[in-house]
């Protein structure tokens, strides 16, 4: 192990379990950020929250795609290969997980695996690094979410996101039960936007 | 952090909650997809567990993948915490994960269940894990997996309606009382596991997360909190739950699922709550039924 390689989970068993549970509740309650408490210090621009999700969920069975800012830094690939063992792939369509550091420039969802009618679960999970979430009391710039996991509707906002985010999510919802699932990670939290969610302008 | 040594049980490993980390990750990924596609059966590479399939190995694997050191686990079988199956599974996680266990529905963070949903309304911080023997609701109508997958893909559920309608033609009502099929979030038809149809309405808009594990059939599926779950029915034959003529003989509860208990060999019997924690808690609160002992003894009887 090179001296420069940042450490992984302090406790591989319980940190992975806690990170998974945060992701699980995040997808079970779309739009409600769940605390993700990890002490990782991965190489920039990989953020600790996104790194925790990859270490908890990915391994040699899950091809992983990195966006341009992440793949430009060899230490990021080294960190992910060493701690998660996930094969890195160059084509987004081959990935089970995608790690996105620059959401504004992320590829269209159609670039990723969206599952088949018989096996809609054979689709990508996008781990999207964001700078922060807007709390539920703000009044503009956010979205209104509805769907399974949400009692009535919930207001949600995160930044940065692509300008056409609502249209992307509408197209994703229209594919249901196919589609991609999003985990938005940052600011010590993770929020889930599964394919089942309906995203409207706030 | 590792599991305790358990002496004479060589099949218990030293992994937390028995499963190795790679297996847990695989199951966890399946759980996340199951939540994202409510009611859809996600295939997973089920592992051999140190217990027979009929003992709920699917539910055990889901619980093992979800469980953390701070969880409080409750295990019920037909509503009771003290059956052989429930005691064995509780003991399994006490040994392999050293987690706290309880018989109280309100104290539990994870409830693994076979054949019942607790009477106490679940909370939004709770996880209900069902043990599922046959996850495919269309299996008895179409034995071929490739065909049932196709039917789900096309939302082609006419066969299921025909089956239920044949019930009506034969019996005058829908005779299915267990594993009564439901439609989840307006899309997938799902087997709720062999719970009495009495419990079906509890799945609808339930605040808790509901996870289903089938070990032999290697399927995981889920219902997120606050999801619409509709029992299949017909306009002229709406879905109805079982009704009981009398309240619980021990706690006086109405609107709960009752089990028949034989009292003697001369046909004497009484009906009591199937959910033993619910019944015991009510008795401790002073509720009484027609077979309750005199008031002063009620506390001892419940303990
Ligand atoms: Zn009772």
């Amino acid at each position: 192990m090179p001296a420069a390689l940042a450490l992984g989970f302090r406790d591989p068993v319980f940190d992975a379990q806690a990170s998974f549970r945060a992701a699980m509740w995040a997808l079970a309650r779309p739009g409600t950020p769940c605390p993700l408490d990890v002490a990782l210090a991965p190489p920039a621009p990989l953020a600790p929250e996104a790194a925790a999700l990859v270490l908890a969920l990915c391994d040699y069975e899950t091809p992983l795609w990195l966006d341009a800012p992440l793949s430009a830094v060899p230490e990021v690939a080294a960190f992910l290969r060493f701690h998660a063992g996930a094969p890195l792939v160059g084509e987004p369509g081959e990935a089970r997980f995608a790690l996105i550091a620059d959401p504004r420039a992320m590829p269209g969802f159609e670039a990723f695996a969206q599952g088949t009618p018989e096996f809609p679960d054979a689709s990508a999970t996008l781990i999207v690094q964001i700078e922060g979430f807007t709390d539920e009391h703000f009044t503009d710039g956010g979205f209104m979410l509805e769907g399974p996991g949400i009692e009535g509707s919930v207001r949600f906002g995160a930044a940065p996101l692509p300008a056409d985010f609502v249209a992307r999510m509408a197209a994703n919802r229209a594919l249901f039960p196919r589609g991609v699932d999003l985990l938005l990670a940052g600011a010590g939290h993770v929020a889930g936007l599964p394919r089942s969610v309906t995203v409207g302008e706030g | 952090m590792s599991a305790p040594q358990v002496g004479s049980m060589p099949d218990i490993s030293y992994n937390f909650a028995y499963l190795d980390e790679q297996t847990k990750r695989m199951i966890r990924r399946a759980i996340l997809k199951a939540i994202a596609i409510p009611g859809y059966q996600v295939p997973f590479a089920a592992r051999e567990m140190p217990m027979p399939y009929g003992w709920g190995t699917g539910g055990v694997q889901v619980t093992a993948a979800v469980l953390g050191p701070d969880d409080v686990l409750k295990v019920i079988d037909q509503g009771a915490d003290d059956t052989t199956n429930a005691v064995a599974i509780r003991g399994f996680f006490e040994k392999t994960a050293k987690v706290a266990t309880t018989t109280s529905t309100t104290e539990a963070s994870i409830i693994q269940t076979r054949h019942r949903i607790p009477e106490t309304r679940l909370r939004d911080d709770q996880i209900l894990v069902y043990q599922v023997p046959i996850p495919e609701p269309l299996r008895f109508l179409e034995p071929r997996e490739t065909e049932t997958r196709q039917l789900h893909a096309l939302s082609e559920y006419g066969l299921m309606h025909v089956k239920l309608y044949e019930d009506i033609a034969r019996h005058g009502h829908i005779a299915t009382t267990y594993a009564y099929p439901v439609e989840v979030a307006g899309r997938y038809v799902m087997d709720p596991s062999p719970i009495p149809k009495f419990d079906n309405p509890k799945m609808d808009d339930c605040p808790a997360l509901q996870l289903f594990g089938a070990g032999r059939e290697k399927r995981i599926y889920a219902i997120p909190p606050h999801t619409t779950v509709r029992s299949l029915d017909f306009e002229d034959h709406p879905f109805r739950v079982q009704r009981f003529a009398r309240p619980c003989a021990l706690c006086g509860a109405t609107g709960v699922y009752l089990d028949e208990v034989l009292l003697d060999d001369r046909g004497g019997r009484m009906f009591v709550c199937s959910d033993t924690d619910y019944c015991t808690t009510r008795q401790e609160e002073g509720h009484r039924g027609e077979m309750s002992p005199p008031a002063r003894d009620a506390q001892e009887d419940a303990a």
Side-chain angles (χ1 to χ4, degrees):
Chain A
M1 174 170 162
L5 192 60
L7 296 176
F9 281 141
R10 198 177 321 165
D11 187 320
V13 174
F14 294 137
D15 288 350
Q17 187 272 340
S19 300
F20 158 72
R21 274 283 273 270
M24 183 192 79
W25 280 120
L27 286 168
R29 299 188 195 112
T32 300
C34 295
L36 187 56
D37 180 22
V38 286
L40 290 175
L46 179 58
E49 297 86 355
L53 294 173
V54 173
L55 266 53
L57 299 173
C58 296
D59 54 33
Y60 69 91
E61 290 186 326
T62 57
L64 176 63
W65 180 84
L66 307 181
D67 75 351
L70 289 166
S71 56
V73 180
E75 288 81 4
V76 168
F79 177 89
L80 293 171
R81 276 206 197 90
F82 183 82
H83 292 299
L88 301 177
V89 292
E91 285 300 318
E94 294 171 4
R96 284 285 305 278
F97 285 83
L99 196 42
I100 291 147
D102 182 4
R104 285 198 191 88
M106 66 192 287
F109 293 165
E110 68 280 357
F112 299 99
Q114 295 172 317
T116 64
E118 288 79 17
F119 293 95
D121 57 301
S123 63
T125 301
L126 314 186
I127 298 171
V128 182
Q129 295 188 177
I130 49 106
E131 284 161 17
F133 300 99
T134 31
D135 74 68
E136 60 185 356
H137 303 296
F138 80 107
T139 50
D140 57 30
F143 314 112
M144 288 301 286
L145 309 185
E146 289 179 15
I150 301 167
E151 191 176 16
S153 61
V154 66
R155 187 176 288 278
F156 174 73
L161 288 173
D164 61 346
F165 191 67
V166 170
R168 281 174 183 245
M169 292 303 290
N172 194 48
R173 182 66 185 80
L175 286 175
F176 190 89
R178 299 171 61 231
V180 297
D181 306 305
L182 276 63
L183 289 169
L184 308 186
H189 288 74
V190 55
L193 294 176
R195 69 194 73 184
S196 60
V197 74
T198 300
V199 179
E201 300 282 0
Chain B
M1 64 166 257
S2 61
Q5 190 149 6
V6 288
S8 63
M9 294 183 70
D11 50 359
I12 302 286
S13 77
Y14 294 90
N15 296 315
F16 178 80
Y18 185 78
L19 296 175
D20 63 86
E21 290 304 297
Q22 199 277 327
T23 298
K24 284 185 205 162
R25 273 193 300 275
M26 176 270 296
I27 296 174
R28 287 166 179 168
R29 292 193 294 262
I31 290 171
L32 297 187
K33 289 300 176 190
I35 291 169
I37 318 168
Y40 165 75
Q41 301 164 51
V42 180
F44 80 110
R47 295 291 191 257
E48 292 292 327
M49 299 299 284
M51 58 189 77
Y53 278 123
W55 284 49
T57 57
V60 168
Q61 288 176 82
V62 169
T63 296
V66 168
L67 196 67
D70 299 330
D71 276 309
V72 179
L73 178 67
K74 171 181 165 78
V75 182
I76 50 172
D77 177 12
Q78 308 270 12
D81 300 84
D82 59 358
T83 66
T84 311
N85 185 296
V87 170
I89 292 172
R90 203 160 57 234
F92 175 78
F93 285 114
E94 284 168 350
K95 283 200 191 81
T96 61
K98 280 187 173 170
V99 290
T101 56
T102 183
T103 58
S104 162
T105 298
T106 52
E107 284 174 12
S109 58
I110 300 176
I111 302 169
Q112 182 170 329
T113 181
R114 175 175 179 266
H115 294 190
R116 280 307 313 278
I117 299 175
E119 304 290 0
T120 306
R121 184 164 166 82
L122 299 175
R123 292 188 314 266
D124 65 4
D125 59 347
Q126 292 178 308
I127 304 164
L128 186 58
V129 178
Y130 296 75
Q131 301 172 201
V132 182
I134 301 167
E136 179 49 73
L138 305 171
R139 181 63 68 232
F140 59 99
L141 302 166
E142 172 52 68
R144 288 166 298 180
E145 170 70 13
T146 48
E147 292 298 311
T148 52
R149 254 187 202 275
Q150 189 79 29
L151 294 172
H152 283 296
L154 298 169
S155 298
E156 180 48 68
Y157 295 123
L159 271 179
M160 182 60 83
H161 283 94
V162 169
K163 193 272 173 194
L164 292 174
Y165 215 87
E166 281 171 358
D167 263 18
I168 296 169
R170 198 172 301 132
H171 307 284
H173 62 275
I174 298 174
T176 304
T177 54
Y178 286 86
Y180 190 105
V182 295
E183 178 201 79
V184 180
R187 177 57 178 82
Y188 282 98
V189 167
M190 189 197 92
D191 185 314
S193 86
I195 58 171
K197 69 174 182 177
F198 179 91
D199 284 340
N200 275 22
K202 295 177 189 160
M203 307 180 106
D204 179 40
D205 196 30
C206 177
L209 171 62
Q210 301 174 77
L211 302 175
F212 299 76
R216 187 172 40 217
E217 305 264 339
K218 302 178 168 51
R219 296 285 183 275
I220 288 170
Y221 50 104
I223 305 174
H226 299 296
T227 295
T228 303
V229 178
R230 189 179 69 80
S231 300
L232 301 186
D233 65 355
F234 302 94
E235 253 178 51
D236 50 343
H237 287 275
F239 174 80
R240 285 204 189 88
V241 299
Q242 296 100 319
R243 290 185 178 283
F244 297 90
R246 333 186 68 158
C248 169
L250 293 179
C251 79
T254 58
V256 297
Y257 195 75
L258 303 180
D259 283 339
E260 184 177 357
V261 177
L262 297 177
L263 295 172
D264 52 47
D265 54 11
R266 299 185 307 277
R269 56 186 193 153
M270 64 175 178
F271 286 89
V272 299
C273 294
S274 135
D275 183 337
T276 52
D277 168 62
Y278 183 78
C279 197
T280 307
T281 303
R282 277 180 56 85
Q283 291 174 49
E284 285 167 0
E285 290 167 357
H287 294 280
R288 300 168 46 67
E290 60 177 15
M291 297 294 282
S292 295
R296 279 201 51 200
D297 300 335
Q299 289 278 0
E300 286 174 28
D301 191 57

